[in-house]
Amino acid sequence: DIQMTQSPSTLSASVGDRVTITCRASQTFNDFLAWYQQKPGKAPNLLIYKTFNLESGVPSRFSGSGSGTEFTLTISSLQPDDFATYYCQQYNSYPYTFGQGTKLEI
Amino acid sequence: EVRLVESGGGLVQPGGSLRLSCAASGFTFTSYAMNWVRQAPGKGLEWVSAISSSGGSTYYADSVKGRFTISKDNSKNTLYLQMNSLRAEDTALYYCAIKSYLKFDSWGQGTLVTVSS
């Protein structure tokens, strides 16, 4: 199984900051890596799929990169609506696995 | 518009059973793999199970293997998760999600399962 280790678990930042969240995999896999944003009481919202593809309707301040075992989500300039919890997910092979989440707070 | 509506959650005693349903509309149900993902209260996301578009292949997390069964009825556009031998640690909000080749395209709003005596 591919284990996903996400860091940091909590990130304190301010509006306008540039932030990066990292996911490290326990083994190399192809670029089937997604990033989700989740707000309390809501289903996850897809931001990035297949490592760097921006989902339709997602603001361009979100970007994804990486390969092999290290993947990153970058928010170029934080907006008030971005304070939420973020998850990475590998869907390259079963069992699909998520990172443990990063809570982005003010 | 894609719509996924989960139902069937509720309170069940440890060792009991429950069947979740996910009614799908707005897309060609037979063309997509379907997944169940759960989230325990205050915890992260955990992938539970998947089924291929035809229903011929199924996959499970180790934590539910042998206890849960995923299935789909293409004539009813409905995904199911039969959950047996339920444990307290199965308490969670259960989401169904569509998966295409490239991504998890859409998620439902979830149905809550509580396992408690």
Side-chain angles (χ1 to χ4, degrees):
Chain A
D1 299 2
I2 300 175
Q3 309 303 321
M4 303 300 294
T5 303
Q6 193 173 332
S7 61
S9 55
T10 305
L11 181 56
S12 296
S14 301
V15 172
D17 284 353
R18 178 185 179 92
V19 299
T20 298
I21 300 169
T22 298
C23 253
R24 289 186 173 85
S26 60
Q27 59 187 264
T28 299
F29 63 93
N30 292 327
D31 53 0
F32 288 95
L33 189 285
W35 291 96
Y36 298 89
Q37 178 193 70
Q38 189 179 34
K39 296 184 177 180
K42 299 292 187 181
N45 180 44
L46 179 66
L47 301 173
I48 302 287
Y49 63 94
K50 218 166 179 291
T51 299
F52 54 82
N53 293 276
L54 192 67
E55 174 68 346
S56 177
V58 174
S60 59
R61 62 181 180 272
F62 292 92
S63 63
S65 63
S67 64
T69 62
E70 187 159 328
F71 300 86
T72 59
L73 172 71
T74 299
I75 310 172
S76 60
S77 178
L78 275 174
Q79 299 303 301
D81 191 50
D82 300 338
F83 292 94
T85 301
Y86 293 83
Y87 296 93
C88 64
Q89 179 204 25
Q90 71 81 18
Y91 54 107
N92 180 80
S93 61
Y94 293 108
Y96 295 158
T97 43
F98 289 89
Q100 65 268 46
T102 295
K103 185 175 182 181
L104 181 52
E105 57 187 23
I106 300 173
Chain B
E1 179 196 358
V2 171
R3 194 155 184 249
L4 298 170
V5 180
E6 301 94 336
S7 61
L11 175 63
V12 61
Q13 293 189 338
S17 297
L18 215 51
R19 188 176 83 156
L20 306 184
S21 299
C22 171
S25 59
F27 64 102
T28 304
F29 189 65
T30 53
S31 296
Y32 288 85
M34 299 294 295
N35 288 255
W36 288 99
V37 175
R38 69 184 181 183
Q39 188 168 34
K43 302 297 184 183
L45 299 168
E46 180 187 15
W47 175 83
V48 172
S49 183
I51 188 166
S52 62
S53 55
S54 67
S57 297
T58 57
Y59 309 89
Y60 299 93
D62 286 346
S63 58
V64 306
K65 201 173 294 183
R67 300 187 299 122
F68 290 11
T69 302
I70 191 171
S71 62
K72 61 186 318 215
D73 186 335
N74 287 336
S75 68
K76 295 182 178 179
N77 283 7
T78 302
L79 173 72
Y80 301 101
L81 186 68
Q82 177 66 45
M83 305 187 296
N84 298 331
S85 303
L86 283 162
R87 306 166 180 168
E89 55 264 36
D90 296 318
T91 294
L93 187 61
Y94 285 73
Y95 296 102
C96 65
I98 306 168
K99 183 189 172 294
S100 65
Y101 173 72
L102 287 177
K103 58 184 174 174
F104 276 59
D105 296 74
S106 189
W107 297 59
Q109 289 306 302
T111 186
L112 181 63
V113 172
T114 303
V115 184
S116 175
S117 54

